[in-house]
Amino acid sequence: MIKSKFTRELFLKLSFLGIFFCSQLHAQIKITTPVERAVYQRGIDGRSQISIAGTYSQLIDKVEVRAVAVIPGQGIDTDWAVLQSNPSGGVFLGTVTLLGGWYSLQVRASYKNAVVASDVIPRFGVGEVFIIAGQSNGQGLRGTLTKGAEDDRVNYINNYDNTSNSISDPPAPTFAKLTSDANIAPRGQTSWCWGVLGDLLAQRLNVPILFINTAWEGTSVRNWAQSAKGEQTYNVYGGFLYAEKMPYENLRLSISHYANQLGVRSILWIQGEADNLPGRMSKEEYINHLTYIIDLAKISINKRIRWVISRTSLTSEGYGPIIGQAVIDAQNEVLSNPFFPVFPGPNTDQIGPDSRPDGTHFSTPGVSNLQVLDDVANAFFRTFTESNFFAEVMPITPAPVPSISVACNSSNNGITFTLPEGYSSYSWNNSSSTSRTLTVTSPGVYRATMRDADGNVVLSPIVNASEGIRPQRPVIVPGGELQACPESLLELSASGGPHLYRWFKDGETASAGEGVKFSPSVSGSYTVMSQNVFGCTSELSSQVSLIVRDPIAQPDVSTSGPFSVQASVPGENQIQSYEWRRDGQPSSQRGDIE
C-alpha cells in the first residue's frame, strides 16, 4: 500500500512516465473518450457509467482499463478489467462504472497475453456538473478581479465564443482548470463567484466540479422566452436586437450537447435585474416567461432538469439600490409550484446591497470586491446541502457513446463506417453525408454527430485513418536471390507497420499468420502482403528467390599415398571446399587431399 501523499504522487508520475514512453515507443493506441479533465455527472447513488473509446493501429486481441485516484482519498481505485475483447476496425469501446472521484484513466492493449501498447488520461472525473443561466451577475464581467479555483478538481469547458453567436453545433468540448481569468463556455466571463463555489463543493463532496456558463449580460427573462420561441427580441437597456435565437439557443445547445454527453445536476438561474423598476415587468409576465423556458427546456430534450432559482432583482440605474418585489414574488411563486422541476436558490438581493460598486453588480472592473463574490459563492454553497439538494435533485447522467463498425470496402480502396440505427440524424465531420454509413477513400480523422428523436446529441467514437486507407507496399529484407542450407534458419522480414502479414510461395499462401517475419524451408519465389486494422490490404511485395541446397552427405576419408589422405563424398554433391582437422584442431589445408 502506498501510504504518503508524496509517495503516491511520485508513484503515479513514474507510472505515467512509463506509460507515456511505452505509448510513444509503440504509438499504436490512444484514448479518445474521455478527454483530459472531463467531468461526468454522478448519479443519485454517487456512481456513473463512463464510456471509454479509442483507436489502435496494430494487432491486439484485448483492451483493459483501470482508474487510479490522482491523490489518495479522491476516488476509489479499480483493478485492471477487460474493457473489450477482440476489438476490430481500429476502434475500441466499452464502459466502466466509477464512484465520484478524480482519476487517471489507464488502458493497455494485449496480443496473445503480451502487452503491446498503452495510453493514459492523467486527469478526469466523476462529480457534479452545473449549467449557469441568467444575466451579468451570473455571467461575470470581463476585467473584474476574481478568485480562480484553488482545488485542481474545479473545471470548465473552454470552447468560449461570445462573438459569433453561432446556432450551429458546438465543437467537442475541451476542459481546463477554472482559473481567475477563465472564460467559461459558451459565454461566461472570468471565474466570477464560481471558482470559490467550486472549491467549496469539491472540498465538501470530495468530487470534481464542472461549470458551463450560458448567462448573458443585460438580458431580460422576456429575451430568453422570446428567443426560445424564435421571435426577435430587443435589449431593454440599449434597444439593440439580439442575434437569431439568442440568448436561449446557448442554453439549449449546452443542454442538448454537453448535458447529454456529460450529464448535469441542475441549471443555476440568476436573473431579474433587467426586469426590475416600476412598470418594467409585472409579476404575471415574469412567471409566464420563466415557466415557458423551463417547460421548453424539458420538452425539447425529453429530460427533466431541475432549475435552481435564485431570488434576484436588485438594481439601481441611478435610483439607488432597489429590490423588485414583483420579480421576487414571481420567482417565489414559480418555486412554490410542485409541478415545476425547480429548487430554491439563494436570495442574492441580500448580499452586499450597499457595497456593490454600481449598485447592481457584485463586482465591477477596476474595483476589488472579492468579499461580495465570496458571499455569493457561500450563499449557493449553503443551498447545496447533501441532505436535501444532492439527495433530492435527480441528475441527468451521461448518455453512452454509440458503437461504430469499421471495415475495408470490397474494392480495397476505402473504409466504410456504419453507425447504429435509431437516431434521427447523422452528420460527419469530414463529409456532407447525412447517412448512418459513410465510405471514405482519403486519409483523415473521422467522427459523426448523432441526434436522438428529442434532439439530444452524442458523438461517435473517433476513427483515425490519417496514416492512409491501404498499407504501403511492403519490402522483403533481405532481398534479391538467396541460398540456404536445409538445416539453416533463414528469416525473411517485411518492412512496414505493425500489420497482419500473409506470405506467399510461388503465388500460393505459405503462411497466413500475422508475423512480420517468416522462415522459409524450401526453394521458391516468396512475396508478402500486409493487412491493416481496417481490413485493407497492400500490394504484393517484389519477390525474393530462395534456393535451398540438398543436404551434404558425410565424407569418406582414405589414404592416397604414403603421406596423404583424400576425402570424397558419395553422390553428386558439388563440394566447393573442405576443411580438415588434425587431432581436433583446424588445418590450413582446404583441398580434398591433405
Side-chain angles (χ1 to χ4, degrees), residues 197-213:
L197 176 60
D199 278 345
L200 293 169
L201 290 173
Q203 291 298 316
R204 185 172 73 187
L205 302 175
N206 197 29
V207 297
I209 309 297
L210 175 69
F211 291 108
I212 302 161
N213 197 334

Side-chain angles (χ1 to χ4, degrees), residues 579-590:
E579 179 180 302
W580 289 89
R581 291 177 177 270
R582 182 180 300 146
D583 297 328
Q585 300 299 316
S587 168
S588 60
Q589 181 65 36
R590 288 295 183 266

Side-chain angles (χ1 to χ4, degrees), residues 163-174:
T163 54
S164 67
N165 298 321
S166 174
I167 60 175
S168 301
D169 291 335
T174 56

Side-chain angles (χ1 to χ4, degrees), residues 424-582:
S424 65
S425 69
Y426 306 82
S427 61
W428 298 86
N429 64 325
N430 286 347
S431 171
S432 59
S433 172
T434 58
S435 171
R436 74 181 185 93
T437 62
L438 176 70
T439 298
V440 301
T441 57
S442 300
V445 178
Y446 296 89
R447 187 178 217 173
T449 299
M450 306 153 68
R451 282 181 170 79
D452 64 20
D454 299 304
N456 299 307
V457 172
V458 291
L459 300 177
S460 77
I462 289 173
V463 180
N464 186 356
S466 58
E467 295 183 3
I469 304 299
R470 298 179 63 187
Q472 292 185 349
R473 184 186 188 190
V475 175
I476 298 177
V477 181
E481 184 174 281
L482 307 173
Q483 297 187 39
C485 299
E487 68 275 8
S488 65
L489 295 176
L490 177 66
E491 187 174 70
L492 302 178
S493 295
S495 67
H499 304 307
L500 176 72
Y501 287 84
R502 181 184 294 270
W503 293 85
F504 299 89
K505 172 186 171 294
D506 299 330
E508 300 293 330
T509 299
S511 171
E514 66 284 344
V516 68
K517 296 181 179 181
F518 176 63
S519 297
S521 58
V522 295
S523 299
S525 295
Y526 288 88
T527 54
V528 66
M529 172 191 294
S530 64
Q531 177 179 303
N532 62 20
V533 293
F534 309 126
C536 293
T537 56
S538 70
E539 297 180 60
L540 274 174
S541 69
S542 298
Q543 70 179 22
V544 169
S545 298
L546 174 65
I547 299 175
V548 179
R549 295 192 174 279
D550 294 332
I552 300 174
Q554 182 176 0
D556 294 325
V557 178
S558 60
T559 59
S560 62
F563 303 106
S564 64
V565 291
Q566 182 173 6
S568 62
V569 177
E572 299 179 354
N573 290 285
Q574 296 181 358
I575 304 303
Q576 296 181 357
S577 66
Y578 292 85
E579 179 180 302
W580 289 89
R581 291 177 177 270
R582 182 180 300 146

Side-chain angles (χ1 to χ4, degrees), residues 42-258:
R42 58 180 181 162
I44 202 73
D45 63 351
R47 303 172 184 269
S48 190
Q49 187 176 74
I50 309 300
S51 295
I52 312 297
T55 62
Y56 64 92
S57 58
Q58 71 177 96
L59 288 169
I60 63 174
D61 56 23
K62 182 173 62 177
V63 178
E64 296 173 285
V65 63
R66 73 170 177 178
V68 180
V70 174
I71 294 176
Q74 289 189 355
I76 304 299
D77 295 359
T78 66
D79 294 328
W80 285 107
V82 175
L83 182 71
Q84 187 178 13
S85 295
N86 300 313
S88 63
V91 176
F92 64 87
L93 175 65
T95 61
V96 60
T97 299
L98 297 174
L99 279 167
W102 193 225
Y103 296 100
S104 71
L105 183 74
Q106 303 170 13
V107 298
R108 65 185 184 190
S110 303
Y111 187 71
K112 293 185 176 180
N113 296 318
V115 175
V116 295
S118 59
D119 195 21
V120 62
I121 299 296
R123 283 167 171 76
F124 91 109
V126 174
E128 295 294 330
V129 181
F130 298 96
I131 296 176
I132 303 154
Q135 59 183 104
S136 52
N137 267 330
Q139 179 187 25
L141 298 181
R142 187 186 302 277
T144 305
L145 179 64
T146 63
K147 292 180 182 177
E150 295 182 2
D151 196 305
D152 185 54
R153 296 172 291 180
V154 182
N155 300 269
Y156 72 105
I157 294 177
N158 62 358
N159 304 101
Y160 179 73
D161 177 17
N162 74 332
T163 54
S164 67
N165 298 321
S166 174
I167 60 175
S168 301
D169 291 335
T174 56
F175 305 85
K177 181 181 177 181
L178 184 51
T179 55
S180 61
D181 58 349
N183 291 320
I184 306 174
R187 202 176 176 85
Q189 298 179 149
T190 79
S191 62
W192 203 233
C193 61
W194 309 117
V196 175
L197 176 60
D199 278 345
L200 293 169
L201 290 173
Q203 291 298 316
R204 185 172 73 187
L205 302 175
N206 197 29
V207 297
I209 309 297
L210 175 69
F211 291 108
I212 302 161
N213 197 334
T214 70
W216 195 305
E217 60 187 322
T219 52
S220 161
V221 70
R222 183 187 294 118
N223 300 136
W224 288 85
Q226 289 177 335
S227 61
K229 297 173 184 177
E231 300 174 355
Q232 289 188 335
T233 187
Y234 295 84
N235 179 270
V236 298
Y237 298 107
F240 58 82
L241 177 67
Y242 283 98
E244 181 185 6
K245 296 185 179 181
M246 294 297 175
Y248 178 78
E249 189 67 7
N250 267 349
L251 175 61
R252 189 196 68 80
L253 289 171
S254 293
I255 295 172
S256 63
H257 283 257
Y258 303 144

